[in-house]
Amino acid sequence: MIIANGTIEFKVKRGGGIDPATGYPVASASVWGDAVPCQYLINSHDNLGRVQGEAFVRASYTVLIEQQPISSEQLRLTDRAGRVLGEFSIISVEQLDAVCQTQIMV
């Protein structure tokens, strides 16, 4: 059982492929899936990121959800007040069978 302090939404890609009439590729569309309750922990969060002189926030989280398979590559993390904490690429997914949870590192 998790103690939810936020939600995550997985990015789902729809469509795409090859246009049968022209043979050219068709771009896929990305949409956010349903909100899944989660418990997140902050691994790191600071303002030390820099690219070509521009500053940005560096953040890393560990997210726990009820056990389920993960097929997405990206997710959006929201706190319990509804503020978006960020959109992240998934670094790793680990199934925690002993507690029936899935741990996601972003």
Side-chain angles (χ1 to χ4, degrees):
M1 182 175 131
I2 62 168
I3 301 170
N5 60 353
T7 61
I8 58 172
E9 300 166 65
F10 293 104
K11 186 175 263 190
V12 180
K13 294 181 182 175
R14 297 211 170 113
I18 303 293
D19 184 351
T22 64
Y24 289 108
V26 176
S28 63
S30 297
V31 295
W32 293 107
D34 296 330
V36 177
C38 72
Q39 179 180 356
Y40 67 89
L41 307 163
I42 300 171
N43 294 337
S44 67
H45 190 278
D46 59 45
N47 296 320
L48 299 176
R50 291 215 177 266
V51 172
Q52 298 179 356
E54 294 292 322
F56 65 92
V57 175
R58 295 187 311 178
S60 173
Y61 296 91
T62 299
V63 180
L64 296 169
I65 60 173
E66 296 296 330
Q67 194 168 36
Q68 61 182 283
I70 307 297
S71 60
S72 181
E73 298 173 355
Q74 292 181 306
L75 62 82
R76 177 167 55 190
L77 178 62
T78 307
D79 67 7
R80 74 170 55 125
R83 291 184 304 256
V84 175
L85 299 175
E87 297 175 8
F88 302 96
S89 294
I90 296 174
I91 296 171
S92 69
V93 175
E94 183 178 354
Q95 299 296 333
L96 307 174
D97 294 326
V99 290
C100 295
Q101 295 178 355
T102 301
Q103 176 178 298
I104 305 168
M105 301 288 291
V106 295

